[in-house]
Amino acid sequence: MGQSNLVKQVTFEDGTCWLARLRMPELEIVFGRREACTPDVTLGIEASTMKFFRRSSAHTRIPVPNVYYTETKSSNPVGAPFILMEYIHGTLASDMEGIERGTFGTPEQDTHLLAQMADIMVQMAACRFDKIGGINYDEKTGEFNIGVDVETGRGPFSTPKEYFQAVCDREFEFQVDRHVLRQRKMTKNLSKMDFMLPLLFKELMPAVLDAESDEATFGLANLDFGVHNILIDEQYNILAVIDLADVISAPLHVLAQVPRMSNLERSTPGDLEINPFAVERLKRAGPRIDRFIDMVRDAEGKVFAENGVRAPGLAAVIYSDGAELVRGLFDHRNGSERMNMRWINGFMHMAAKRRIHSNGLSIETQDVLDLRDGPSATEKKEATTRRDNNGIELQTVDISTSKGNSKGTEGSNEIELGADKGKTSAKSVPLENEN
């Protein structure tokens, strides 16, 4: 049993096995309500998604269990919405510890698994729709269409801007819900930092969309795709992708997210990791990430050759600014306070790169402020040029601890920190392209 689902094996007299998957009510009193859609709507979208992939098997190679029966209403003898589906015997890939830390199985098995995951990502992205949202199946017509998005409870959306606006709005609603729950349990209140990352996202994303996106159609992405939701056999062949409630027709930067919990994430933009174990992990992960991106590129070529479908271009944007912004927003949903702080700093790093103007303040510096003590009080840092864990050149500047109102001159590289507190200047240096 997980946080949202209870799974039971059903064995018939002739030995045939099915699975009963029950959608349980969310434990709102403990976790808050992550998804805006109710459990019955969420389960209906998941069942529709599984049927879509089964019906599209002639064009895709995405293995999913067959759906035999769906009950979306809670007012039934069982007491919860449920799906009766095919039982597939296999092992969760996440349970297969690798010979090398951060991998699964032997190096050869790990490579085989990653190549299949890359292929599934591309196969999903090649399924094109004219709207953004979850998959609905019309029992009367037998047709599939795009409808409401599970997490936001809104949609379908016509543009990436509409979708990301709804995601940010839902993030604010969720944080407010968490705040209410904490007050009920008499725990600490939310800080302003819990809302800062969605605010930064809303400031940055329009610039990225204008620069990088001209999408007319949208592919499918599984927002919970990863080794924890993949069944494999002893040869590490993928037998089935499970838990498909988070499949959505989405913009390119969402499609380009690497599989979760699969040790394919780079450090956050601008991050300078000092923990020796984390540094070693990132060092080992680098070549593996590069291989995975090459696998995605090869899979895109295969899809184009086999089906005559235009390759969606995932490999080219997996670590673009747009994809990194989306990764930060998604991590904010599930991440710890420390991870959220890393992403706030990462977003500020990207803001500095793009010379974001806010309230008349022109910022043109590669300095990443440590916001643990608030943006108005920073530790004094000596000017030096460094590289972060992703090989990106950083410029830090000498900033004296100071308080008071700040002001800036548009078009200038100087930031004045109060009339009597002195001032500091930051010389902007070009950043290497992250791609």
Side-chain angles (χ1 to χ4, degrees):
M1 178 176 177
Q3 179 177 325
S4 302
N5 298 286
L6 174 65
V7 179
K8 290 289 187 179
Q9 183 175 324
V10 180
T11 304
F12 296 90
E13 292 181 354
D14 63 356
T16 302
C17 291
W18 288 5
L19 281 185
R21 191 163 185 265
L22 288 73
R23 187 75 181 184
M24 307 304 292
E26 290 194 75
L27 299 176
E28 296 182 40
I29 192 64
V30 179
F31 302 107
R33 186 169 177 173
R34 176 70 272 177
E35 297 171 346
C37 283
T38 54
D40 57 324
V41 174
T42 299
L43 184 133
I45 292 174
E46 180 175 16
S48 296
T49 301
M50 296 168 70
K51 291 177 182 178
F52 174 81
F53 286 133
R54 296 286 297 193
R55 300 276 180 92
S56 304
S57 59
H59 305 288
T60 66
R61 296 180 296 274
I62 304 172
V64 299
N66 194 14
V67 175
Y68 300 127
Y69 179 79
T70 304
E71 175 55 72
T72 60
K73 297 184 181 300
S74 299
S75 55
N76 63 69
V78 176
F82 65 89
I83 301 176
L84 293 177
M85 67 179 75
E86 175 187 9
Y87 169 75
I88 298 177
H89 184 74
T91 303
L92 283 176
S94 56
D95 292 340
M96 306 303 290
E97 185 176 351
I99 294 177
E100 298 179 6
R101 186 186 295 271
T103 64
F104 303 92
T106 66
E108 293 77 16
Q109 290 169 331
D110 185 64
T111 297
H112 180 54
L113 178 62
L114 290 182
Q116 295 173 88
M117 294 172 70
D119 185 66
I120 289 173
M121 275 183 61
V122 174
Q123 291 288 327
M124 288 193 294
C127 299
R128 310 302 292 183
F129 298 89
D130 62 355
K131 299 288 185 181
I132 299 171
I135 296 178
N136 282 333
Y137 176 65
D138 190 324
E139 295 284 354
K140 296 180 179 179
T141 64
E143 296 180 350
F144 296 93
N145 56 70
I146 298 300
V148 67
D149 165 44
V150 166
E151 181 174 348
T152 65
R154 301 163 193 168
F157 308 100
S158 298
T159 66
K161 182 178 180 180
E162 292 177 3
Y163 167 68
F164 287 124
Q165 178 67 53
V167 172
C168 286
D169 289 345
R170 176 57 191 159
E171 190 61 34
F172 282 115
E173 293 168 2
F174 179 66
Q175 295 300 338
V176 171
D177 289 344
R178 288 178 60 209
H179 175 66
V180 172
L181 287 174
R182 287 181 178 182
Q183 285 188 325
R184 288 176 183 172
K185 294 186 291 183
M186 301 183 68
T187 58
K188 66 176 183 178
N189 293 330
L190 259 66
S191 72
K192 60 185 177 180
M193 294 303 168
D194 293 300
F195 298 93
M196 181 170 285
L197 192 135
L199 281 172
L200 289 171
F201 181 92
K202 291 176 74 172
E203 289 293 324
L204 282 162
M205 203 64 203
V208 174
L209 286 173
D210 291 343
E212 299 182 13
S213 179
D214 59 351
E215 298 172 79
T217 62
F218 311 97
L220 292 178
N222 184 353
L223 305 187
D224 200 22
F225 181 56
V227 292
H228 60 302
N229 282 326
I230 291 175
L231 294 176
I232 60 174
D233 63 16
E234 294 180 355
Q235 286 72 45
Y236 282 69
N237 298 310
I238 294 180
L239 301 175
V241 180
I242 58 175
D243 201 354
L244 297 163
D246 293 310
V247 171
I248 178 178
S249 171
L252 177 61
H253 297 112
V254 178
L255 308 184
Q257 298 302 301
V258 297
R260 293 185 58 219
M261 300 177 67
S262 304
N263 300 315
L264 291 167
E265 296 86 0
R266 283 170 36 171
S267 59
T268 54
D271 186 41
L272 288 167
E273 184 61 73
I274 59 174
N275 184 298
F277 296 102
V279 171
E280 181 62 27
R281 177 183 61 80
L282 291 168
K283 182 179 179 180
R284 288 195 307 268
R288 189 167 178 266
I289 293 171
D290 292 339
R291 289 197 302 272
F292 181 76
I293 294 175
D294 288 339
M295 292 171 185
V296 172
R297 187 176 292 108
D298 292 343
E300 290 183 299
K302 187 188 302 182
V303 167
F304 181 79
E306 291 180 356
N307 303 322
V309 178
R310 179 179 177 271
L314 304 187
V317 300
I318 283 180
Y319 281 109
S320 66
D321 279 354
E324 288 289 75
L325 281 170
V326 171
R327 180 165 71 104
L329 187 63
F330 288 174
D331 279 355
H332 182 256
R333 303 172 179 176
N334 307 305
S336 63
E337 187 173 326
R338 183 170 180 268
M339 176 58 71
N340 290 340
M341 189 60 64
R342 283 176 177 265
W343 272 112
I344 289 172
N345 284 334
F347 276 22
M348 292 190 69
H349 173 75
M350 286 189 279
K353 286 171 55 180
R354 288 184 173 268
R355 195 172 180 235
I356 298 299
H357 296 268
S358 178
N359 298 324
L361 177 63
S362 176
I363 302 176
E364 192 168 332
T365 171
Q366 310 313 320
D367 181 49
V368 181
L369 301 179
D370 184 350
L371 295 177
R372 292 179 181 83
D373 298 321
S376 62
T378 59
E379 295 180 358
K380 185 174 181 179
K381 305 176 183 180
E382 295 181 358
T384 179
T385 298
R386 297 177 291 179
R387 289 182 180 273
D388 69 6
N389 296 304
N390 299 324
I392 309 301
E393 187 174 281
L394 300 175
Q395 176 79 19
T396 58
V397 296
D398 181 7
I399 299 181
S400 299
T401 301
S402 47
K403 296 182 179 180
N405 297 326
S406 63
K407 64 180 180 178
T409 304
E410 188 167 344
S412 170
N413 283 340
E414 292 188 347
I415 304 172
E416 188 173 305
L417 301 174
D420 299 322
K421 300 295 182 180
K423 63 182 180 179
T424 181
S425 62
K427 184 177 180 181
S428 177
V429 294
L431 288 172
E432 297 176 358
N433 193 318
E434 293 188 32
N435 297 321

